[in-house]
Amino acid sequence: GQQVMQIPQYQHVQEGEDFTTYCNSSTTLSNIQWYKQRPGGHPVFLIQLVKSGEVKKQKRLTFQFGEAKKNSSLHITATQTTDVGTYFCARSIKAAGNKLTFGGGTRVLVKP
Amino acid sequence: NAGVTQTPKFQVLKTGQSMTLQCAQDMNHNSMYWYRQDPGMGLRLIYYSASEGTTDKGEVPNGYNVSRLNKREFSLRLESAAPSQTSVYFCASSERGSGPQHFGDGTRLSIL
């Protein structure tokens, strides 16, 4: 089926270090969205990428959309304990009525 | 500004019982969604409503029905609850189908 794969599933990061999580699709995407879900909470929208090769930054978070619009990445610099949570990418495909399909998420744990 | 409000927050049912989960949004959004999230998993779309008066099946619709009562409200009904439906249910809304989604706090449902 039309899925998005997120890697890694789990990320243990030392506080202060950088890490990257990836989102891959076998089909071309209309757009990609990223969400963060804190433990016990609900998903919160972070960013939407629409253009090929697009890069957007939010403080220590850098989001990138691949040139072929089939993959995306989230890079976090100088990880803090507040970054703990699960990061989901969600893809939208025009042919599927623009519904969002969520990836399985990357669960981030931060070691102080 | 409440955003997306879900009721109830917690519920325990016995197998075979029926129940309706309520969702209301005050952002004048056109599209509304119901997802389920199983422990350690991503979000799976149950049903969605692209606009008032329309509903469509998502990835896992079996065992559920929905009603888009008006532009604000979108309810999810379990006619005969089964243990496999134990999950956290999230309602979400967006201005348009491919736009950012805003989530409610979720309903934690256990079926014994």
Side-chain angles (χ1 to χ4, degrees), chain A residues 26-54:
Chain A
S26 58
T27 55
T28 303
L29 307 172
S30 304
N31 67 68
I32 194 90
Q33 297 180 18
W34 286 89
Y35 292 78
K36 177 183 179 181
Q37 184 177 25
R38 294 183 184 276
H42 60 270
V44 175
F45 173 76
L46 294 175
I47 205 91
Q48 177 169 291
L49 305 171
V50 179
K51 299 177 183 177
S52 168
E54 189 170 16

Side-chain angles (χ1 to χ4, degrees), chain A residues 33 35 37 40 98-99 107, chain B residues 37 40 48 97-98 101 108:
Chain A
Q33 297 180 18
Y35 292 78
Q37 184 177 25
N98 279 320
K99 298 189 301 293
R107 289 154 189 79
Chain B
Q37 185 176 37
Y48 70 103
S98 61
Q101 294 190 8
R108 284 150 182 79

Side-chain angles (χ1 to χ4, degrees), chain A residues 9-10 31 33 35 37 40-45 48 88 92 96-105 107, chain B residues 33 35 37 39-43 45 48 57-59 90 96-106 108:
Chain A
Q9 275 190 294
Y10 299 93
N31 67 68
Q33 297 180 18
Y35 292 78
Q37 184 177 25
H42 60 270
V44 175
F45 173 76
Q48 177 169 291
F88 293 100
S92 170
N98 279 320
K99 298 189 301 293
L100 286 185
T101 299
F102 284 78
R107 289 154 189 79
Chain B
Y33 313 83
Y35 294 91
Q37 185 176 37
M41 303 287 285
L43 296 145
L45 183 65
Y48 70 103
K57 295 179 180 179
E59 181 185 353
F90 288 103
R96 63 186 190 285
S98 61
Q101 294 190 8
H102 299 256
F103 285 79
D105 289 338
R108 284 150 182 79

Side-chain angles (χ1 to χ4, degrees), chain B:
Chain B
N1 190 356
V4 179
T5 303
Q6 290 184 237
T7 55
K9 294 191 184 305
F10 302 92
Q11 185 70 49
V12 178
L13 294 177
K14 293 181 180 179
T15 298
Q17 287 185 316
S18 62
M19 162 151 206
T20 300
L21 308 186
Q22 307 287 352
C23 175
Q25 52 92 9
D26 62 3
M27 296 172 284
N28 202 35
H29 284 170
N30 291 305
S31 303
M32 297 185 74
Y33 313 83
W34 276 105
Y35 294 91
R36 62 176 288 174
Q37 185 176 37
D38 298 320
M41 303 287 285
L43 296 145
R44 292 186 292 170
L45 183 65
I46 305 171
Y47 270 94
Y48 70 103
S49 172
S51 60
E52 185 179 357
T54 68
T55 60
D56 282 291
K57 295 179 180 179
E59 181 185 353
V60 288
N62 291 343
Y64 305 96
N65 285 301
V66 290
S67 294
R68 184 77 183 265
L69 304 169
N70 47 55
K71 192 170 186 179
R72 289 188 64 247
E73 299 172 287
F74 189 38
S75 63
L76 177 72
R77 182 161 178 84
L78 288 71
E79 289 292 350
S80 179
S84 60
Q85 294 178 305
T86 292
S87 190
V88 180
Y89 290 84
F90 288 103
C91 176
S93 70
S94 65
E95 189 175 3
R96 63 186 190 285
S98 61
Q101 294 190 8
H102 299 256
F103 285 79
D105 289 338
T107 294
R108 284 150 182 79
L109 182 62
S110 294
I111 298 159
L112 308 177

